[in-house]
Amino acid sequence: MSGLDWPALMRVGLNRLGLQPDAFWRLTPVELRIMLGAGAVPPLTRARLEELVRAYPDAGKGRDDG
């Protein structure tokens, strides 16, 4: 299960946004977020990637880095 409240998302999409069901199901999650006013997820920058690598290192997890 995805953890998303699909009935609520469908009500908003069909009722508030006035979408037809086929148009709702063709949307990507990012497109739906933008239409609902939540904005887009910012792109992953090199600095953010390096921050994540430091926070969640792969070393010692059975991976051969060399």
Side-chain angles (χ1 to χ4, degrees):
M1 195 54 110
S2 68
L4 293 175
D5 186 353
W6 285 109
L9 287 173
M10 289 177 64
R11 279 191 299 276
V12 170
L14 302 178
N15 296 328
R16 191 173 109 197
L17 298 176
L19 298 170
Q20 295 296 314
D22 62 324
F24 173 83
W25 289 112
R26 283 195 309 262
L27 291 173
T28 67
V30 171
E31 290 169 332
L32 184 56
R33 283 177 51 93
I34 291 169
M35 291 178 81
L36 294 174
V41 176
L44 181 63
T45 63
R46 181 70 178 182
R48 178 67 176 136
L49 177 60
E50 290 170 356
E51 180 182 330
L52 289 170
V53 168
R54 284 190 302 274
Y56 304 99
D58 288 336
K61 295 188 178 182
R63 192 176 137 196
D64 181 13
D65 290 325

